[in-house]
Amino acid sequence: MNTNTKSGEGGSRARGMVLAAVRGLALALVSLPLSILGLCLSLVSMALIPIGVGALTTPYVVRGVRAYADRRRALAERWGGVRIPSAYRPAPETVNPFRRTYALLRDPATWRDLLWLLVDLPAGFATALLPAVLVFCPLEGLALPAGLWRVYLATEDGAYWYLFVPVSDQTSAFGAGALGAVLLFVAPRYAVRVFRVHFLLTRAMLTPSQAELAERVRVLTQTRRDAVDTSAAELRRIERDLHDGAQARLVAMGMDLGTVEMLLDKDPEKAKALLAQARRSSAEALSELRDLVRGIHPPVLAERGLGDAVRALALRLPVATEVTVELGAGRVDAPVESAAYFAVSEVLTNAVKHSRADRIWVDLHHGDGRLQISVTDSGQGGASIGAGSGLAGVERRLGTFDGVLAVSSPAGGPTMVTMEIPCVLS
């Protein structure tokens, strides 16, 4: 029983050692060029900001670096059991490249990512590669006494160095083999621990400060408050629509039917007229109830997803609307899907009411873990996010899911409203 237990523990430790070595080698080979690329692009892009080119490229470079850092956070939790929090500030509410770049450069997380890239080049590469060295290097040391040293000496002048042992004959080859045996004994004990050190180093570089975490909590508290206020306003709207619409018609229909009962024998013609009126009232009440249900959660959204729901929404508009959908095979989570649908609905309603546009384009795209939606119209422009505007409500709706809203609407048009929500497809 004890022998089997020890054998199982030894096998598990060996598997963990080999897995750490393979993962560490893959991570080292991939992370080194990506860290160099991210650091060089960031520095070059920021250096070009004074001449205007960097203002256009920096937001995209920063977004790429953040995606790379988030990927490393995910690997740290999955492979090393190390959780690294993220506290990036939301992107600014503008598509002006200079303002967006300025806001990104004011975010401490941007500079923390750059410092992490700089440290990840030497230290991150070494700590990722070390488990592979601990596992694979002993195999070479054990092969040297078997004659591998002769192959090395045939192609090199002088002694071949195995770590700190010079191998020039069979005796020194046995010394290298002994060192390899020691490393093979050490590797199962420390390979996994050393690999975890890589992620601990990553956490030390990428973990936000307490002030940033406090700001993140404040933003989440505000968005939660906005979500509660929005839900309460929605409930009041539903109650008002039921009271003033379908409920009033149903009450009137009941009174008409009561009158019909009294007039059925005395005045059949008037009773028929009241029955016809009751039938019209029932049809109108049913139509209002359908509209109300559609305003809460459209059936097409639940059955066919966001893309088809937006297409159905566009078909009901009095303005020619073109919808492009690239969402892949999966679907967005239901709460995000609902928020995105009603955000698009509100933006389209604003465009129809205020823009005087004769054409609207809607584009839905999912990539890099974000749902990206743009609504462009050919109207007169002048739209803005401000108190009392419909776009302010859209911004609050998206903020509940860490989404952002950007508006570009110069005088004379066109107007482009861009929405982004972090999410994954299921």
Side-chain angles (χ1 to χ4, degrees), residues 253 256-257 260-261 264 268-282:
M253 186 174 64
D256 290 340
L257 291 176
V260 167
E261 288 179 347
L264 194 59
E269 293 300 325
K270 190 172 183 179
K272 289 181 181 180
L274 289 175
L275 283 174
Q277 181 177 337
R279 185 174 63 252
R280 289 193 298 271
S281 296
S282 66

Side-chain angles (χ1 to χ4, degrees), residues 5 38 47 60 83 86 93 100 110 181 248 261 284 291 320 329 402 410 413:
T5 302
Y60 296 100
R83 186 177 182 277
S86 175
E93 305 161 1
R100 181 181 287 265
T110 300
E261 288 179 347
E284 292 172 354
D291 291 339
D402 280 348

